[in-house]
Amino acid sequence: NAGVTQTPKFRVLKTGQSMTLLCAQDMNHEYMYWYRQDPGMGLRLIHYSVGEGTTAKGEVPDGYNVSRLKKQNFLLGLESAAPSQTSVYFCASSYSVGGQSSGNTIYFGEGSWLTVV
Amino acid sequence: KQEVTQIPAALSVPEGENLVLNCSFTDSAIYNLQWFRQDPGKGLTSLLLIQSSQREQTSGRLNASLDKSSGRSTLYIAASQPGDSATYLCAVRPQKSSGDKLTFGTGTRLAVRP
């Protein structure tokens, strides 16, 4: 059971380049999330999805886009990378009941380290 | 807006000591609170989850308490070991809604000295 898998694990980008982070979960979870973690600021929610084909903005969505074409995958895109997007990105997923939170554990991936120079 | 604070930011203790990590939150209208462990270069691993109706949860040497009315939670680690060295994060989940949008604290970095 792989859980939540993120690719790539490490990436260096030049300012203005674009890239996509892929998250895959094999737990049949409805909810998926992208967080970023910066020193002294904790984890902040970028975008989330409550089901296939749906996405919503989190706390810090600017500069990012997401897509959830398949239930098991949640993609995070950076169209024009900026140095301020240097961070560690975490994908997570959780189970829902009838479209509402199940209140159960949220599972995290191992993280993707992104540096924008 | 929910704000979550963890004190202290860093803690160093000798092996065998009992210790308490603190988490406070500003909005008591929470669904539950979760404690996570994060090892360097790794993701988050869930340790304990306390529902808003519960007062505490225990798992092995770990005990988490919740006082929702005062906006506080503590994580008690008994007989600490060097393997407990990690960053501990607490996160609150808003009352039942579409999407589990957790709000995280900034964490307590724990070092247990042999």
Side-chain angles (χ1 to χ4, degrees):
Chain A
N1 186 352
V4 179
T5 305
Q6 296 179 226
T7 53
K9 191 169 179 68
F10 300 98
R11 184 74 187 269
V12 178
L13 282 179
K14 293 182 179 179
T15 298
Q17 286 185 321
S18 63
M19 76 159 295
T20 299
L21 296 175
L22 172 63
C23 177
Q25 53 94 4
D26 61 3
M27 297 173 281
N28 202 35
H29 286 166
E30 291 290 340
Y31 292 174
M32 296 188 74
Y33 319 83
W34 276 107
Y35 286 88
R36 61 177 288 174
Q37 185 176 35
D38 301 291
M41 300 195 72
L43 277 83
R44 293 179 293 168
L45 183 65
I46 305 171
H47 285 280
Y48 66 100
S49 169
V50 299
E52 182 178 321
T54 71
T55 62
K57 294 180 180 180
E59 182 185 355
V60 288
D62 294 342
Y64 305 94
N65 57 75
V66 289
S67 64
R68 182 102 181 266
L69 298 179
K70 294 183 179 180
K71 185 177 183 179
Q72 64 268 33
N73 295 336
F74 195 29
L75 278 64
L76 178 71
L78 285 72
E79 292 183 343
S80 180
S84 61
Q85 294 178 303
T86 294
S87 187
V88 185
Y89 292 86
F90 287 99
C91 178
S93 69
S94 64
Y95 179 61
S96 69
V97 177
Q100 297 293 315
S101 169
S102 65
N104 288 334
T105 298
I106 289 181
Y107 296 85
F108 281 82
E110 296 263 294
S112 295
W113 274 253
L114 176 64
T115 301
V116 183
V117 297
Chain B
K1 179 186 173 186
Q2 177 75 271
E3 292 183 3
V4 180
T5 304
Q6 291 187 246
I7 295 173
L11 182 63
S12 178
V13 301
E15 183 177 2
E17 193 163 295
N18 301 325
L19 58 100
V20 175
L21 307 180
N22 297 293
C23 172
S24 61
F25 47 95
T26 56
D27 186 350
S28 62
I30 65 169
Y31 189 34
N32 59 36
L33 182 145
Q34 200 162 354
W35 282 93
F36 293 89
R37 168 184 174 138
Q38 185 176 26
D39 293 289
K42 298 291 186 181
L44 281 68
T45 301
S46 179
L47 296 173
L48 289 164
L49 185 150
I50 312 178
Q51 303 296 345
S52 61
S53 59
Q54 297 175 321
R55 295 287 292 181
E56 64 179 65
Q57 281 286 331
T58 299
S59 176
R61 294 183 294 107
L62 305 180
N63 176 278
S65 69
L66 175 64
D67 183 344
K68 198 176 82 161
S69 60
S70 68
R72 294 180 183 178
S73 176
T74 62
L75 179 66
Y76 175 82
I77 302 177
S80 59
Q81 302 170 359
D84 294 329
S85 298
T87 296
Y88 291 81
L89 297 149
C90 69
V92 297
R93 199 190 232 107
Q95 285 186 337
K96 212 166 188 179
S97 63
S98 178
D100 287 327
K101 299 181 288 293
L102 298 184
T103 301
F104 282 84
T106 52
T108 294
R109 190 170 63 255
L110 173 65
V112 180
R113 308 186 301 272

